[in-house]
Each structure stands twice: as structure tokens, then as C-alpha cells.
Amino acid sequence: MVSIYSQKSDRDLILACQRREPAAFEEVVKRHQNTVYALLFQLAPDWTDTSDLCQEVFIRVWRNINNLRNPAAFRSWLTQVIINLFFEEIKSRARKATPKRPEDSEPLEALPVAVETTQGGGEELDENHLKLSDHEVVRKAMARIPEQLRTSLVLREMEGLNYEEIAVLTKTEMGTVKSRIAQARSQLQQVLAPQLEVALQSGANSSS
Amino acid sequence: MIACSKHRGNFSALIDEQLDFNTKFETQQHLNDCPECSEQLIQTRDMQAFIEKSLLAGAEAQPDIWQLLQDKMPKVCDLIREEYSAYIDDEISAAAQDGIKSHLDTCPICRRDFEQLKKANEAVSKVLKEPLSVKVDLWNSIKSQLNASCALITAELSPFIDQEVPNQRHRTVAAHMLTCQNCHSSFQKLAVLGDYLKENYVPDLPEDFDLMPQLSAKLRVTPLPADQPLVRNKRPYILGAAAVAALIGLIGLTFLLFSFLWREKPPMVTSEDYIIQYCLAEPPEKLEANIYDVTN
């Protein structure tokens, strides 16, 4: 269904939301729901209620939209809302004192290569199958690294924010962000070593 | 016997000549009369003499500490020699300085040693002074170390990938990787991690993923149909409201006009006519009373 809002820019939509026009808000939700869901998922790949959190984000957006002074900066404001909700959730979940999963205490060992096991019959397996396996591997690897490191790395790699922006969002110093990202990369390299080796080789083959 | 025991208590003081005149006189009187007490006094005196003699003998046996100490005491020359350094640096008290000075004037050996030490000290301090002809440039060596150390470069690869390294350092790291295969390899591994994550770290969302129905229920927002936009919908309402307002105005004006005309030409009714009309309108049981009232 095409509404008059679907052609409008984010800025105009936000202005309309600030005038409390529900149809504009619907367009905002439709436009950003995938990115919000993706970011929440990337921040916490092992949470099962990402969809509920996503709704909570948009409810907060609708309630507090008039706090946004610069409608052009909606995207970064939205990220701030997501990060705030994420940190609140971490605190509340920590208070509930859920038993620690056994894999949390495991040492960081390289995960098995999904591609290797399928390479024998690689010709028969389609690419989607390989991708799915890689997705699972990455998800497990990301779930293993500490949440502070993961948050900084996700904001850098997935959101493309610079260190200063990440420091503001996570309420830390730039130096801390720098070291967290470096640590996260180092740990992921350790866990995903076989997968990265395969990716590197395939990249080298495609470039040659 | 009581007198004896009383006077025997004074024997010690008597020997030490510490009794007052009266007590001494009384004690001596008693001694002249009592041979036992006299004997006792002699014994006490002998014992005291023995003790004194013994103590004196012990005092004679005590060694002369000073004599013994003199052999063990360090010599003045040695002490002065230990203080030469502080004397040269002018770091000792004025009295000590005077002592050393006078000793050096009298002791030729110490004088010679002191002169030698002074010359050696002057030579060393001359050598230790920074020679102006030698230029030390630490920065170049540090810089080369910074640029060549693979450990340092590898530690900076993460911010390097993120373009978060200052420009000059960025160029240095890039230049280092042109020559160092190991660092270049580390860089490639780190760079591929980002691409790998971007490609694979994504949620599996269904194509028809839509939050809006659940959100609407939570917010109780009823979205307007998209083909009937909010701005256009307002116009009919505005036109209708204007038409109703105009109609009400017209009716009001008509009413005012008629009421004005009515006031201008009121119908002439006499009181008898009014009563007759009124009575005809009233029920028969009220009729009499009304007529009666009017007539009264």
C-alpha cells in the first residue's frame, strides 16, 4: 500500500511524527524496522525476544519523538534509543540472575568450519546452505565474546560509526572504545580462524 | 634486753657517724654498761670494714675503659680520609671543615692523599660534562623503532582499518606493510573479518516482517487509510462546517428581520378581545374565575 508518506524523506516523516500523525509513524516503522531488528539481533544474538524489544524501541520513538531537536539526525537518535534499551535490558537480565550457559565459560577455541565439512560434496550443495552455516558460526562466535566488546564492534562494523560516536553512545572514553574493538577483533580472529582463512583464500582466488 | 635491742638498731648509724648528739651519748652510755652490746658493735664494725675492703678490691680490679678504647678507636687520619669527598663538595659543617683543614696542615700523608683525590675529582667532572660537539638525536632512533616494530604496528591495525589513526601514523603503518609481509598478512586477516561479519552476521528476517500490527495494538494508533491522506480529508469537513455556519447565519438574520417587522406593526387587540380569546382557549372550569378576575 503506497501512502503519501512513502515518498517523503526521513526528515519530513519525523516532522510529521512530531505533529503526531500516525500514518507518518507507520511509514517510519516500515522504513526502519529491519535495521532496528538487525542491530538488536547483532548486539544480542542469543536473546529470543528481539521482536518485542524492537517494538519497545518504536514505542519509545513515538513517545519521545518531540525530544529530537534535529529531525535530520533521526538515524543516530534511533541508534541511541536502541543502545539505551539494550543496556537497560542487560542490567535487568543480570538482576534476574539467570544461570550461566555452559558455553560461556568455555575457552575461546576455533569453531569448526562449516564449509570444510561440505566441501567434499560442494558441487551438490547450493550456496545458501553454505551461507546458512556461516551465519550460525558467526552467531555463535559473536555470542561468545563479552557484550561490551561485541557492542563496540557491532557499532563499528555494522553501523559504521567512528570511535568518537561509539564512545558517546556507550558512555565511555575513546581509548576504551579503541581497545575494546581491537580486543573483539582479536578474539573473533581466534574463534573464526578457519572460516577467515577460507574467506581470505576465496578472496585471493576471486581477485586473481 | 629491751634497751639492748633499742640501741643495737643505732649501731650502723653510729659507725657511720650519723647519730645526733643525744642518741649518740645514750648509745655510748649503754655500750659502757653492756659488754654484749659492746661486742656486737665490734662485730658490726668489723663486718662493715670487711665490706668496704671488698668493694675497694673490686674497684681496683675494674679495667680502664679509655685505655682499652684507645686501641680500638679509628685513627683520625682514617676518619678525615672518609670525609674528603664531602669536604670537597662543601657538604660538611664549618667545625668539621676547620678540623680537616688543620689536620691537612699538620699531616703530610693526608695532605698528599687529599690532593690526589681532588685532582681525580676535577678530571672526572671535566669528562662528565656534556661535550658540545656531540649531538644526540634520540627521536630518529625511536622513530625508526616505532616504524619497524611489528608488534607495535600489529597492535595498531584495528584502528588503522577504522581510519582512526592520525594521518602521519596512518601513512607510516601503510608504508611498513608494503615491506613487511607478516604485518600485511595480519592486516588482510583483520580486514577480511569485517567483510565476513557484514556478510554473515545478519538476522534471518522473513520477507513479510512487519512490526506495525503489533505496534498499533500496543499504541492504540489507528492509522488512516493511505489512499485518503489526512490533509485532503480535512477539506470536506471545512466546507460542510462553512455551509452549516452560513445557513445558521441566514436563519438568524431572517428571524431578526421578522421580529423587527413584528415589533413595528403590533396587532391591535382590545382587552375584551384578549379575554374572549383567552377564555376560549382555556378549559371551561377556569373560565369563570378568569372572567371574574378581569371584571374585578
Side-chain angles (χ1 to χ4, degrees), chain A residues 126-137, chain B residues 199-200:
Chain A
D126 59 350
E127 201 184 345
N128 284 336
H129 185 84
L130 297 179
K131 290 288 178 196
L132 187 69
S133 303
D134 271 356
H135 284 196
E136 285 173 356
V137 167
Chain B
E199 196 177 343
N200 295 302

Side-chain angles (χ1 to χ4, degrees), chain A residues 59-73:
Chain A
I59 288 169
R60 288 186 182 191
V61 167
W62 181 238
R63 281 199 182 128
N64 303 311
I65 193 73
N66 281 326
N67 294 344
L68 176 60
R69 296 286 167 209
N70 178 14

Side-chain angles (χ1 to χ4, degrees), chain B residues 7-78:
Chain B
H7 289 294
R8 278 181 189 177
N10 293 334
F11 285 173
S12 180
L14 181 69
I15 292 166
D16 292 336
E17 298 289 338
Q18 296 294 314
L19 287 178
D20 60 84
F21 181 78
N22 290 335
T23 317
K24 189 180 175 183
F25 182 75
E26 283 174 11
T27 308
Q28 277 177 345
Q29 284 274 323
H30 177 74
L31 282 169
N32 291 336
D33 298 340
C34 180
E36 286 179 4
C37 284
S38 177
E39 184 65 22
Q40 180 69 35
L41 178 66
I42 290 165
Q43 282 180 6
T44 308
R45 189 169 282 158
D46 286 348
M47 192 186 69
Q48 199 149 345
F50 176 76
I51 290 168
E52 275 177 17
K53 194 179 175 184
S54 302
L55 286 174
L56 282 173
E60 283 171 6
Q62 189 177 346
D64 187 354
I65 301 295
W66 172 241
Q67 194 66 39
L68 293 172
L69 205 60
Q70 270 187 332
D71 297 337
K72 291 181 182 174
M73 270 173 68
K75 290 177 182 173
V76 176
C77 288
D78 293 338

Side-chain angles (χ1 to χ4, degrees), chain A residues 3 22 26 33-34 37 42 45 54-55 131 134-135 138-139 142 156-158 162-163 185 189 195, chain B residues 158-159 162 164 189-190 196-201 204-205 209-212 214 218-219 221 223 226:
Chain A
S3 71
E26 185 177 352
Q33 59 187 0
N34 284 11
Y37 188 94
Q42 285 155 354
C54 215
Q55 290 173 43
K131 290 288 178 196
D134 271 356
H135 284 196
V138 174
R139 204 172 294 181
M142 288 296 269
R156 172 64 223 164
E157 288 289 3
M158 303 298 168
N162 62 32
Y163 286 7
R185 280 185 171 136
Q189 265 191 321
Q195 288 80 9
Chain B
S158 174
D162 297 332
E164 295 279 354
K189 282 178 186 169
L190 211 56
Y196 186 75
L197 286 179
K198 276 174 198 140
E199 196 177 343
N200 295 302
Y201 192 41
D204 304 320
L205 278 174
F209 178 69
D210 192 5
L211 281 175
M212 203 54 208
Q214 292 162 307
K218 284 189 179 176
L219 287 171
V221 169

Side-chain angles (χ1 to χ4, degrees), chain B residues 166-209:
Chain B
N167 280 343
Q168 199 167 350
R169 185 66 185 154
H170 192 93
R171 282 196 290 274
T172 309
V173 174
H176 174 85
M177 278 193 294
L178 286 175
T179 55
C180 178
Q181 191 58 40
N182 284 339
C183 288
H184 188 250
S185 168
S186 303
F187 167 75
Q188 280 185 322
K189 282 178 186 169
L190 211 56
V192 84
L193 173 70
D195 297 337
Y196 186 75
L197 286 179
K198 276 174 198 140
E199 196 177 343
N200 295 302
Y201 192 41
V202 285
D204 304 320
L205 278 174
E207 281 184 9
D208 57 345
F209 178 69

Side-chain angles (χ1 to χ4, degrees), chain A residues 57-190:
Chain A
V57 166
F58 281 110
I59 288 169
R60 288 186 182 191
V61 167
W62 181 238
R63 281 199 182 128
N64 303 311
I65 193 73
N66 281 326
N67 294 344
L68 176 60
R69 296 286 167 209
N70 178 14
F74 173 70
R75 189 68 187 82
S76 57
W77 184 73
L78 180 63
T79 309
Q80 178 78 69
V81 173
I82 296 168
I83 294 292
N84 289 348
L85 177 71
F86 173 63
F87 285 148
E88 283 172 28
E89 279 296 312
I90 286 173
K91 279 183 192 168
S92 72
R93 279 163 209 239
R95 276 198 297 272
K96 285 172 190 168
T98 49
K100 216 175 182 185
R101 292 175 303 126
E103 57 260 36
D104 287 347
S105 55
E106 282 178 10
L108 289 173
E109 289 173 2
L111 291 165
V113 187
V115 184
E116 265 184 7
T117 55
T118 56
Q119 262 182 347
E123 291 171 7
E124 296 167 14
L125 293 165
D126 59 350
E127 201 184 345
N128 284 336
H129 185 84
L130 297 179
K131 290 288 178 196
L132 187 69
S133 303
D134 271 356
H135 284 196
E136 285 173 356
V137 167
V138 174
R139 204 172 294 181
K140 277 187 180 176
M142 288 296 269
R144 276 192 192 186
I145 65 172
E147 135 268 317
Q148 285 183 328
L149 308 187
R150 186 171 60 230
T151 306
S152 298
L153 185 71
V154 164
L155 290 175
R156 172 64 223 164
E157 288 289 3
M158 303 298 168
E159 292 295 299
L161 303 180
N162 62 32
Y163 286 7
E164 198 175 354
E165 289 168 330
I166 297 171
V168 171
L169 279 174
T170 54
K171 299 180 179 69
T172 47
E173 299 296 324
M174 245 178 88
T176 312
V177 171
K178 191 173 164 183
S179 86
R180 278 179 184 174
I181 290 174
Q183 276 186 58
R185 280 185 171 136
S186 165
Q187 291 190 12
L188 276 180
Q189 265 191 321
Q190 204 178 333

Side-chain angles (χ1 to χ4, degrees), chain A residues 1-10 12-17 19-28 31, chain B residues 224-226 228-231:
Chain A
M1 193 180 287
V2 180
S3 71
I4 58 156
Y5 291 107
S6 56
Q7 303 299 321
K8 287 190 182 291
S9 68
D10 267 4
D12 291 343
L13 280 179
I14 299 311
L15 287 172
C17 283
R19 291 192 297 269
R20 295 296 181 200
E21 294 176 17
F25 178 60
E26 185 177 352
E27 181 60 31
V28 168
R31 206 174 277 188
Chain B
L224 293 167
Q228 292 177 10
L230 194 66
V231 179

